[in-house]
Amino acid sequence: MTTEEQISAYINSQPEAKRDDMQALHEMIQAINPESQLWFMDGKNDDGKVAYNPNIGYGHQIMKYADGKTREFYRIGMSANTTGISIYILGIEDKKYLSETYGKDIGKASVTGYCIKFKSLKNINIDVLKAAIKFGLEAYDK
């Protein structure tokens, strides 16, 4: 399966309300940066065992670890979780930036150093979420 087919199958495997929200988010993120590289992580480790929730990735970055090793990875991630949807904005050095910049205006969401977690799109301010995603995609270009 292609990455696009894997993404479509993953989104379509979700319950209807979550599926609709994830499809809308997928389209929104792609509209923000249509040239973004797409990723799909199936949630399985090297032994084929489920280790984390499957997730969709957008964009590209080279992550550098403390030991000096590097890894190609996405900038923005989206994943279904037990109570809703998580949006990951990776690579932000200031772990307070997301919560301080977007947390008070985003609505019913939990905002951590790199994750915005919410139950449904109807509970959040889409424009604020869009601004956070746009920041995450563009921050690396500066």
Side-chain angles (χ1 to χ4, degrees):
M1 264 201 271
T2 67
T3 301
E4 290 85 357
E5 290 170 335
Q6 290 175 306
I7 290 169
S8 181
Y10 174 57
I11 291 172
N12 288 325
S13 74
Q14 303 302 315
E16 185 179 0
K18 193 180 292 188
R19 178 179 62 232
D20 292 347
D21 282 355
M22 289 183 74
Q23 184 62 44
L25 285 165
H26 179 63
E27 291 169 10
M28 181 184 80
I29 295 168
Q30 288 190 293
I32 290 170
N33 190 344
E35 289 82 38
S36 284
Q37 179 179 342
L38 289 176
W39 302 67
F40 182 74
M41 313 293 272
D42 64 7
K44 296 178 182 171
N45 65 16
D46 292 338
D47 297 327
K49 295 183 179 180
V50 175
Y52 55 88
N53 289 335
N55 54 86
I56 302 166
Y58 307 86
H60 181 267
Q61 66 172 313
I62 304 293
M63 294 177 62
K64 188 172 182 179
Y65 294 98
D67 65 3
K69 292 182 182 178
T70 60
R71 175 183 179 192
E72 291 186 64
F73 211 62
Y74 53 77
R75 297 177 185 187
I76 304 295
M78 176 173 61
S79 180
N81 60 55
T82 54
T83 59
I85 300 169
S86 296
I87 298 291
Y88 306 100
I89 302 177
L90 304 178
I92 301 172
E93 290 185 24
D94 180 355
K95 297 304 174 199
K96 294 180 181 179
Y97 182 82
L98 275 183
S99 61
E100 289 177 352
T101 305
Y102 306 104
K104 67 181 182 296
D105 298 321
I106 200 157
K108 290 175 120 181
S110 166
V111 183
T112 66
Y114 66 93
C115 181
I116 300 171
K117 185 176 176 181
F118 50 91
K119 186 172 182 177
S120 170
L121 282 179
K122 67 183 179 187
N123 296 330
I124 63 166
N125 182 325
I126 301 293
D127 291 332
V128 174
L129 179 62
K130 191 183 291 189
I133 291 169
K134 189 173 182 181
F135 165 78
L137 285 169
E138 294 176 350
Y140 303 91
D141 297 332
K142 295 181 177 159

